Amino acid sequence: MNTFSQVPPGFRFHPTDEELVDYYLRKKVASKRIEIDFIKDVDLYKIEPWDLQELCKIGNEEQSEWYFFSHKDKKYPTGTRTNRATKAGFWKATGRDKAIYLRHSLIGMRKTLVFYKGRAPNGQKSDWIMHEYRLETNENGTPQVYICIDSNPYVIFNS
Amino acid sequence: MNTFSQVPPGFRFHPTDEELVDYYLRKKVASKRIEIDFIKDVDLYKIEPWDLQELCKIGNEEQSEWYFFSHKDKKYPTGTRTNRATKAGFWKATGRDKAIYLRHSLIGMRKTLVFYKGRAPNGQKSDWIMHEYRLETNENGTPQVYICIDSNPYVIFNS
Protein backbone atom coordinates (compact mmCIF):
# COMPACT_ATOMS: atom_id res chain seq x y z
CA MET A 1 0.00 0.00 0.00
CA ASN A 2 1.04 3.52 -0.65
CA THR A 3 1.67 5.28 2.63
CA PHE A 4 2.48 8.63 1.09
CA SER A 5 -0.32 9.98 3.20
CA GLN A 6 -1.22 13.13 1.32
CA VAL A 7 -1.94 11.38 -1.95
CA PRO A 8 -4.54 8.59 -2.11
CA PRO A 9 -3.47 4.98 -2.76
CA GLY A 10 -2.85 4.14 -6.38
CA PHE A 11 -1.46 7.53 -7.42
CA ARG A 12 2.15 7.48 -8.58
CA PHE A 13 4.46 10.29 -9.52
CA HIS A 14 4.98 10.05 -13.27
CA PRO A 15 5.35 13.67 -14.29
CA THR A 16 5.77 14.89 -17.82
CA ASP A 17 8.68 17.18 -18.71
CA GLU A 18 6.20 20.05 -18.94
CA GLU A 19 4.90 19.42 -15.41
CA LEU A 20 8.41 19.22 -13.98
CA VAL A 21 9.47 22.48 -15.56
CA ASP A 22 6.28 24.50 -15.55
CA TYR A 23 5.10 23.56 -12.07
CA TYR A 24 7.87 22.16 -9.87
CA LEU A 25 10.96 23.88 -11.24
CA ARG A 26 9.28 27.23 -11.85
CA LYS A 27 7.90 27.32 -8.29
CA LYS A 28 11.20 26.23 -6.80
CA VAL A 29 13.21 28.85 -8.66
CA ALA A 30 10.70 31.52 -7.65
CA SER A 31 10.82 30.25 -4.04
CA LYS A 32 7.08 29.67 -4.12
CA ARG A 33 5.48 27.05 -1.94
CA ILE A 34 5.10 23.67 -3.59
CA GLU A 35 1.84 22.04 -2.50
CA ILE A 36 3.31 18.77 -1.31
CA ASP A 37 6.96 19.19 -0.66
CA PHE A 38 8.18 15.70 -1.51
CA ILE A 39 10.99 16.65 -3.86
CA LYS A 40 14.08 16.90 -1.70
CA ASP A 41 16.95 19.35 -1.96
CA VAL A 42 20.14 17.48 -2.59
CA ASP A 43 23.75 18.46 -3.11
CA LEU A 44 24.43 16.45 -6.21
CA TYR A 45 28.17 16.76 -5.81
CA LYS A 46 28.09 15.13 -2.41
CA ILE A 47 25.90 12.17 -3.17
CA GLU A 48 26.42 9.08 -5.32
CA PRO A 49 23.59 8.03 -7.62
CA TRP A 50 22.98 4.77 -5.70
CA ASP A 51 22.42 6.76 -2.50
CA LEU A 52 19.59 8.79 -4.03
CA GLN A 53 17.16 5.87 -3.76
CA GLU A 54 16.81 6.09 -0.02
CA LEU A 55 16.92 9.87 0.11
CA CYS A 56 14.37 10.53 -2.61
CA LYS A 57 11.73 7.92 -1.79
CA ILE A 58 8.12 8.89 -2.33
CA GLY A 59 6.06 6.97 0.21
CA ASN A 60 6.57 3.23 0.13
CA GLU A 61 6.28 2.66 -3.55
CA GLU A 62 8.74 0.90 -5.81
CA GLN A 63 10.57 3.53 -7.80
CA SER A 64 12.91 3.42 -10.73
CA GLU A 65 13.19 7.18 -10.97
CA TRP A 66 14.09 9.70 -8.27
CA TYR A 67 13.43 13.39 -8.25
CA PHE A 68 15.37 16.07 -6.45
CA PHE A 69 16.44 19.69 -6.65
CA SER A 70 20.08 20.62 -6.66
CA HIS A 71 21.92 23.85 -7.26
CA LYS A 72 24.26 23.65 -10.20
CA ASP A 73 27.45 25.21 -8.98
CA LYS A 74 30.08 26.51 -11.30
CA LYS A 75 33.73 25.57 -11.35
CA TYR A 76 34.58 29.11 -12.27
CA PRO A 77 32.41 32.19 -11.85
CA THR A 78 32.43 32.97 -15.52
CA GLY A 79 32.43 29.48 -17.02
CA THR A 80 30.19 26.47 -16.92
CA ARG A 81 31.14 23.34 -15.07
CA THR A 82 31.07 20.42 -17.44
CA ASN A 83 32.15 17.62 -15.13
CA ARG A 84 29.81 17.36 -12.21
CA ALA A 85 32.03 15.28 -9.95
CA THR A 86 31.15 13.24 -6.86
CA LYS A 87 33.54 11.21 -4.72
CA ALA A 88 33.08 8.05 -6.77
CA GLY A 89 32.76 9.50 -10.25
CA PHE A 90 31.24 12.23 -12.37
CA TRP A 91 28.22 13.12 -14.47
CA LYS A 92 28.86 13.79 -18.12
CA ALA A 93 26.42 15.31 -20.60
CA THR A 94 25.38 13.16 -23.52
CA GLY A 95 23.47 13.94 -26.71
CA ARG A 96 21.66 17.17 -27.39
CA ASP A 97 19.53 19.09 -24.94
CA LYS A 98 15.81 18.63 -25.51
CA ALA A 99 13.56 21.65 -25.78
CA ILE A 100 10.43 21.55 -23.61
CA TYR A 101 7.37 23.30 -24.92
CA LEU A 102 4.09 24.25 -23.32
CA ARG A 103 1.38 25.25 -25.77
CA HIS A 104 4.03 26.04 -28.39
CA SER A 105 6.22 28.25 -26.18
CA LEU A 106 9.64 27.14 -25.13
CA ILE A 107 9.60 26.89 -21.33
CA GLY A 108 12.73 24.91 -20.56
CA MET A 109 15.48 22.55 -21.60
CA ARG A 110 16.38 19.02 -20.58
CA LYS A 111 19.97 17.86 -20.53
CA THR A 112 20.80 14.15 -20.28
CA LEU A 113 23.82 13.07 -18.28
CA VAL A 114 25.47 9.72 -17.71
CA PHE A 115 27.38 8.75 -14.60
CA TYR A 116 30.96 7.55 -15.00
CA LYS A 117 32.83 5.89 -12.16
CA GLY A 118 36.37 7.10 -11.61
CA ARG A 119 37.98 10.28 -12.82
CA ALA A 120 37.75 12.02 -16.20
CA PRO A 121 38.87 11.32 -18.80
CA ASN A 122 39.25 7.70 -17.69
CA GLY A 123 35.91 7.04 -16.04
CA GLN A 124 33.96 3.84 -16.53
CA LYS A 125 30.53 4.48 -18.00
CA SER A 126 27.62 3.28 -15.83
CA ASP A 127 23.93 2.85 -16.55
CA TRP A 128 22.86 5.69 -14.29
CA ILE A 129 21.17 8.39 -16.28
CA MET A 130 20.07 11.80 -15.06
CA HIS A 131 17.90 14.46 -16.60
CA GLU A 132 18.72 18.00 -15.67
CA TYR A 133 15.96 20.51 -16.24
CA ARG A 134 16.39 24.24 -16.53
CA LEU A 135 13.97 27.08 -17.10
CA GLU A 136 14.37 28.80 -20.40
CA THR A 137 13.41 32.23 -19.12
CA ASN A 138 14.61 33.62 -15.87
CA GLU A 139 12.97 36.72 -14.60
CA ASN A 140 15.74 37.96 -12.35
CA GLY A 141 18.54 37.42 -14.80
CA THR A 142 20.51 35.01 -12.63
CA PRO A 143 21.08 31.68 -14.34
CA GLN A 144 19.59 29.79 -11.44
CA VAL A 145 19.49 26.15 -12.36
CA TYR A 146 18.00 23.22 -10.55
CA ILE A 147 18.33 19.63 -11.38
CA CYS A 148 15.67 16.99 -11.31
CA ILE A 149 16.28 13.46 -12.23
CA ASP A 150 15.98 9.97 -13.15
CA SER A 151 18.24 7.07 -12.83
CA ASN A 152 18.04 3.38 -13.35
CA PRO A 153 19.01 1.38 -10.30
CA TYR A 154 18.53 -2.04 -11.74
CA VAL A 155 21.04 -1.76 -14.48
CA ILE A 156 23.83 -0.13 -12.57
CA PHE A 157 24.57 -3.26 -10.65
CA ASN A 158 25.33 -5.13 -13.85
CA SER A 159 27.75 -2.66 -15.24
CA MET B 1 -1.26 20.47 -16.60
CA ASN B 2 -3.15 18.22 -14.32
CA THR B 3 -6.19 20.03 -13.02
CA PHE B 4 -7.32 17.24 -10.75
CA SER B 5 -7.02 19.74 -7.97
CA GLN B 6 -6.70 17.48 -4.96
CA VAL B 7 -3.65 15.65 -6.21
CA PRO B 8 -0.48 17.57 -7.15
CA PRO B 9 0.65 17.77 -10.79
CA GLY B 10 2.55 14.76 -12.04
CA PHE B 11 0.64 12.16 -10.02
CA ARG B 12 -1.28 9.64 -12.08
CA PHE B 13 -3.66 6.90 -11.04
CA HIS B 14 -1.89 3.61 -11.72
CA PRO B 15 -3.18 1.41 -8.93
CA THR B 16 -2.08 -2.14 -8.32
CA ASP B 17 -4.70 -4.90 -8.04
CA GLU B 18 -4.03 -4.99 -4.30
CA GLU B 19 -4.73 -1.27 -3.94
CA LEU B 20 -7.95 -1.50 -5.94
CA VAL B 21 -9.27 -4.38 -3.88
CA ASP B 22 -7.87 -3.67 -0.45
CA TYR B 23 -8.50 0.07 -0.41
CA TYR B 24 -11.06 1.19 -2.98
CA LEU B 25 -13.29 -1.86 -3.31
CA ARG B 26 -13.22 -2.76 0.38
CA LYS B 27 -14.20 0.77 1.40
CA LYS B 28 -16.90 0.97 -1.24
CA VAL B 29 -18.48 -2.32 -0.25
CA ALA B 30 -18.39 -1.30 3.41
CA SER B 31 -19.89 2.09 2.48
CA LYS B 32 -16.91 3.84 4.02
CA ARG B 33 -15.77 7.24 2.85
CA ILE B 34 -13.12 7.15 0.14
CA GLU B 35 -10.67 10.00 0.62
CA ILE B 36 -10.96 11.47 -2.85
CA ASP B 37 -14.11 10.33 -4.48
CA PHE B 38 -13.00 10.23 -8.09
CA ILE B 39 -14.18 6.73 -8.96
CA LYS B 40 -17.68 7.13 -10.34
CA ASP B 41 -20.65 4.88 -9.87
CA VAL B 42 -21.81 3.59 -13.21
CA ASP B 43 -24.53 1.27 -14.38
CA LEU B 44 -22.47 -0.96 -16.59
CA TYR B 45 -25.52 -2.32 -18.37
CA LYS B 46 -26.61 1.12 -19.50
CA ILE B 47 -23.33 2.40 -20.81
CA GLU B 48 -21.19 1.43 -23.78
CA PRO B 49 -17.44 1.05 -23.25
CA TRP B 50 -16.64 4.02 -25.52
CA ASP B 51 -18.84 6.27 -23.39
CA LEU B 52 -16.84 5.53 -20.23
CA GLN B 53 -13.97 7.77 -21.32
CA GLU B 54 -15.84 11.00 -20.75
CA LEU B 55 -17.64 9.79 -17.65
CA CYS B 56 -14.61 8.38 -15.86
CA LYS B 57 -12.03 11.07 -16.57
CA ILE B 58 -9.55 11.86 -13.82
CA GLY B 59 -8.62 15.51 -14.17
CA ASN B 60 -7.32 16.48 -17.58
CA GLU B 61 -4.87 13.70 -18.08
CA GLU B 62 -4.65 11.34 -21.01
CA GLN B 63 -6.04 8.01 -19.92
CA SER B 64 -6.07 4.59 -21.44
CA GLU B 65 -7.80 3.00 -18.46
CA TRP B 66 -10.98 4.05 -16.71
CA TYR B 67 -12.13 3.11 -13.26
CA PHE B 68 -15.65 2.87 -11.99
CA PHE B 69 -17.90 1.05 -9.56
CA SER B 70 -20.91 -0.85 -10.77
CA HIS B 71 -23.32 -3.22 -9.12
CA LYS B 72 -23.32 -6.61 -10.72
CA ASP B 73 -26.94 -7.48 -11.15
CA LYS B 74 -28.17 -10.99 -11.65
CA LYS B 75 -30.33 -12.26 -14.47
CA TYR B 76 -32.07 -14.57 -12.06
CA PRO B 77 -32.12 -14.32 -8.29
CA THR B 78 -30.50 -17.68 -7.81
CA GLY B 79 -28.15 -17.78 -10.78
CA THR B 80 -25.24 -15.75 -12.05
CA ARG B 81 -25.53 -13.56 -15.07
CA THR B 82 -22.91 -14.56 -17.59
CA ASN B 83 -23.72 -12.12 -20.36
CA ARG B 84 -23.47 -8.58 -19.13
CA ALA B 85 -25.42 -6.94 -21.95
CA THR B 86 -25.57 -3.29 -22.99
CA LYS B 87 -27.57 -1.84 -25.88
CA ALA B 88 -24.73 -2.32 -28.37
CA GLY B 89 -23.24 -5.56 -27.16
CA PHE B 90 -22.20 -7.62 -24.17
CA TRP B 91 -19.26 -8.36 -21.88
CA LYS B 92 -18.04 -11.94 -21.88
CA ALA B 93 -15.61 -13.49 -19.41
CA THR B 94 -12.34 -14.76 -20.79
CA GLY B 95 -9.58 -16.86 -19.25
CA ARG B 96 -9.32 -17.74 -15.61
CA ASP B 97 -9.96 -15.43 -12.71
CA LYS B 98 -6.76 -14.18 -11.10
CA ALA B 99 -6.32 -14.42 -7.34
CA ILE B 100 -5.21 -11.24 -5.61
CA TYR B 101 -3.06 -11.60 -2.54
CA LEU B 102 -1.98 -9.15 0.14
CA ARG B 103 0.86 -10.38 2.31
CA HIS B 104 0.04 -13.98 1.38
CA SER B 105 -3.69 -13.79 2.17
CA LEU B 106 -6.24 -14.02 -0.57
CA ILE B 107 -8.17 -10.73 -0.58
CA GLY B 108 -9.98 -10.78 -3.89
CA MET B 109 -10.36 -12.05 -7.42
CA ARG B 110 -10.02 -10.39 -10.79
CA LYS B 111 -12.13 -11.51 -13.72
CA THR B 112 -11.24 -10.40 -17.26
CA LEU B 113 -14.03 -9.67 -19.71
CA VAL B 114 -14.06 -8.77 -23.38
CA PHE B 115 -16.70 -6.65 -25.08
CA TYR B 116 -18.54 -8.13 -28.05
CA LYS B 117 -20.69 -5.99 -30.32
CA GLY B 118 -24.06 -7.47 -31.21
CA ARG B 119 -25.95 -10.24 -29.51
CA ALA B 120 -24.71 -13.56 -28.11
CA PRO B 121 -23.81 -15.99 -29.45
CA ASN B 122 -23.08 -14.01 -32.62
CA GLY B 123 -21.29 -10.97 -31.25
CA GLN B 124 -18.24 -9.47 -32.88
CA LYS B 125 -15.26 -9.42 -30.56
CA SER B 126 -13.83 -5.96 -29.85
CA ASP B 127 -10.60 -4.81 -28.23
CA TRP B 128 -12.30 -3.42 -25.14
CA ILE B 129 -11.18 -5.26 -22.08
CA MET B 130 -12.51 -4.91 -18.56
CA HIS B 131 -11.28 -6.17 -15.24
CA GLU B 132 -13.92 -6.94 -12.69
CA TYR B 133 -12.71 -7.08 -9.10
CA ARG B 134 -14.48 -8.75 -6.24
CA LEU B 135 -13.68 -9.14 -2.57
CA GLU B 136 -12.93 -12.65 -1.54
CA THR B 137 -14.44 -12.32 1.90
CA ASN B 138 -17.70 -10.62 2.55
CA GLU B 139 -18.62 -9.90 6.12
CA ASN B 140 -22.36 -9.65 5.70
CA GLY B 141 -22.81 -12.72 3.56
CA THR B 142 -24.34 -10.87 0.61
CA PRO B 143 -22.39 -11.43 -2.57
CA GLN B 144 -22.03 -7.73 -3.12
CA VAL B 145 -19.85 -7.23 -6.11
CA TYR B 146 -18.49 -4.09 -7.63
CA ILE B 147 -16.69 -3.71 -10.83
CA CYS B 148 -13.69 -1.62 -11.60
CA ILE B 149 -12.21 -1.36 -14.90
CA ASP B 150 -9.88 -0.92 -17.74
CA SER B 151 -10.40 -0.70 -21.40
CA ASN B 152 -8.39 0.20 -24.41
CA PRO B 153 -9.84 3.03 -26.41
CA TYR B 154 -7.26 3.21 -29.08
CA VAL B 155 -7.74 -0.24 -30.38
CA ILE B 156 -11.49 -0.35 -30.40
CA PHE B 157 -11.70 2.08 -33.24
CA ASN B 158 -9.72 -0.22 -35.46
CA SER B 159 -11.75 -3.27 -34.83
Side-chain angles (χ1 to χ4, degrees), chain A residues 64-103:
Chain A
S64 58
E65 299 186 339
W66 295 270
Y67 297 85
F68 57 90
F69 292 116
S70 177
H71 262 289
K72 185 176 163 188
D73 56 283
K74 291 183 177 172
K75 259 186 173 162
Y76 313 101
T78 53
T80 50
R81 184 186 184 113
T82 48
N83 288 344
R84 294 153 176 86
T86 69
K87 219 166 185 176
F90 58 94
W91 291 98
K92 192 180 162 188
T94 182
R96 283 196 189 180
D97 291 5
K98 182 194 164 201
I100 298 166
Y101 293 93
L102 183 70
R103 290 182 294 271

Side-chain angles (χ1 to χ4, degrees), chain A residues 9-12 14-15 19 24, chain B residues 1 9-12 14-15 19 24:
Chain A
F11 284 88
R12 307 204 139 77
H14 293 305
E19 286 168 333
Y24 292 99
Chain B
M1 286 295 282
F11 283 88
R12 310 209 135 71
H14 293 306
E19 286 168 332
Y24 292 99

Side-chain angles (χ1 to χ4, degrees), chain B residues 28 39-43 55 68-70 146:
Chain B
K28 184 73 178 175
I39 301 184
K40 298 273 193 334
D41 287 296
V42 157
D43 184 343
L55 210 72
F68 57 89
F69 292 116
S70 178
Y146 287 91

